[in-house]
Amino acid sequence: MPSARFRFAPSPNGRLHLGHAYSALLNEQMARQAGGALLLRIEDTDQTRCKPEFTHACIADLHWLGIAFAPNPRIQSEHFEDYDAALRKLWELDAIYPCFCSRKQVAGHARSGHDPDGQPHYGGTCAGLSREVAESKMAAAEQHGWRLRTAGTDAASWGDVMIAKRHVGSCYHIAVVVDDALQGITHVVRGQDLQAATPIHLLLQDLLGLPHPAYHHHALVQDGAGRKLAKSAGDTSLAELRAEGFTPARIRAQLGF
Ligand code: GLU
């Protein structure tokens, strides 16, 4: 029985807020109770939204909160070759296909169903391209994303969901699955906003022959008006609270730890 390994995996596209603090502290508590390890991972594959200054700020905020992570956080933008290898494997299995559609083409040919995020299902224009045509389009350097074939699986509510757009870096679904396995994560503890994505992750794990961690999705911390906190909610950023004189002990107590 491997010892328990938990992780906190923020995306550095803004400053951390109380919601992140709650998730990190819950992971810390569960790891401690299980006598396990707590790892940090910076999910910065989306180069259009993530910035190195936010990565530094994020690590500094977590340090200030006093959360002890195992050394050497994994920084996803340093490991694109691992995600490309997984994408190649999935392409060999024909479990994914390259999609060359523009946003406009996607909108014009949408299917009637909607995914859990409220986006219309992809109409399937590129799903039936022969491998030969798909390969030659890719060789001609046409920008493309990768879509996962989900029909008949537990992830079907997503339609053929986009799992990577490597020309902009973003590959959340693939990177999260590859890294949870590489880091030996046994317990994924994260917000309910990611619960609907879990069938995508389970399907990718099955296709890639990776183990399933145990999943726990916690309720999201809300602001006074009952809204989910977002990084744009600067008033609850840890940096702002710190500037107002909040101590790590007070933040822990306020969040119930
Ligand atoms: N990086 C994701 C986020 O900040 C979390 C991914 C995960 O916990 O699986 O929303």
Side-chain angles (χ1 to χ4, degrees):
M1 181 79 185
S3 68
R5 288 165 75 88
F6 292 73
R7 62 18 170 223
F8 178 58
S11 296
N13 51 20
R15 294 301 297 256
L16 296 187
H17 56 61
L18 281 178
H20 297 104
Y22 177 80
S23 198
L25 289 166
L26 183 61
N27 272 284
E28 178 189 58
Q29 183 181 65
M30 291 178 76
R32 191 177 49 236
Q33 284 167 355
L38 176 61
L39 284 75
L40 178 62
R41 182 163 77 227
I42 302 294
E43 300 208 323
D44 59 346
T45 60
D46 187 342
Q47 313 271 281
T48 62
R49 300 178 65 214
C50 297
K51 308 232 175 318
E53 57 265 36
F54 288 134
T55 296
H56 300 311
C58 183
I59 291 172
D61 287 343
L62 292 167
H63 183 73
W64 174 73
L65 255 188
I67 301 185
F69 290 98
N72 302 322
R74 181 165 167 96
I75 314 284
Q76 289 191 326
S77 60
E78 296 172 359
H79 299 285
F80 279 123
E81 68 280 8
D82 291 333
Y83 316 132
D84 286 342
L87 288 170
R88 274 198 304 278
K89 183 165 178 189
L90 293 168
W91 174 226
E92 277 159 26
L93 294 171
D94 199 36
I96 59 172
Y97 57 88
C99 175
F100 303 91
C101 295
S102 65
R103 209 178 281 197
K104 214 167 142 188
Q105 286 167 324
V106 169
H109 296 99
R111 289 227 167 102
S112 52
H114 284 77
D115 72 21
D117 283 346
Q119 298 299 314
H121 283 173
Y122 176 60
T125 314
C126 293
L129 290 179
S130 70
R131 287 185 80 83
E132 212 181 343
V133 169
E135 293 279 9
S136 73
K137 277 168 144 328
M138 287 192 282
E142 286 193 44
Q143 285 196 352
H144 64 273
W146 289 100
R147 291 188 181 277
L148 178 63
R149 297 186 197 278
T150 60
T153 74
D154 287 343
S157 67
W158 287 94
D160 281 358
V161 63
M162 183 70 83
I163 59 161
K165 285 187 204 158
R166 284 291 287 107
H167 52 285
V168 294
S170 76
C171 52
Y172 164 65
H173 293 300
I174 198 77
V176 77
V177 158
V178 166
D179 282 357
D180 280 337
L182 267 174
Q183 293 188 293
I185 301 302
T186 57
H187 294 73
V188 171
V189 176
R190 60 186 180 186
Q192 271 170 356
D193 52 340
L194 286 164
Q195 184 152 19
T198 304
I200 300 174
H201 301 166
L202 296 171
L203 173 58
L204 288 171
Q205 284 153 1
D206 286 343
L207 290 164
L208 293 167
L210 304 173
H212 294 308
Y215 286 91
H216 171 71
H217 294 93
H218 61 73
L220 299 175
V221 177
Q222 300 189 327
D223 69 9
R227 283 178 310 239
K228 168 189 162 187
L229 296 180
K231 289 192 187 90
S232 53
D235 52 337
T236 61
S237 78
L238 297 180
E240 190 70 23
L241 294 170
R242 180 183 186 175
E244 282 171 27
F246 275 71
T247 60
R250 185 164 160 207
I251 288 175
R252 282 175 181 259
Q254 185 174 326
L255 292 172
F257 294 97

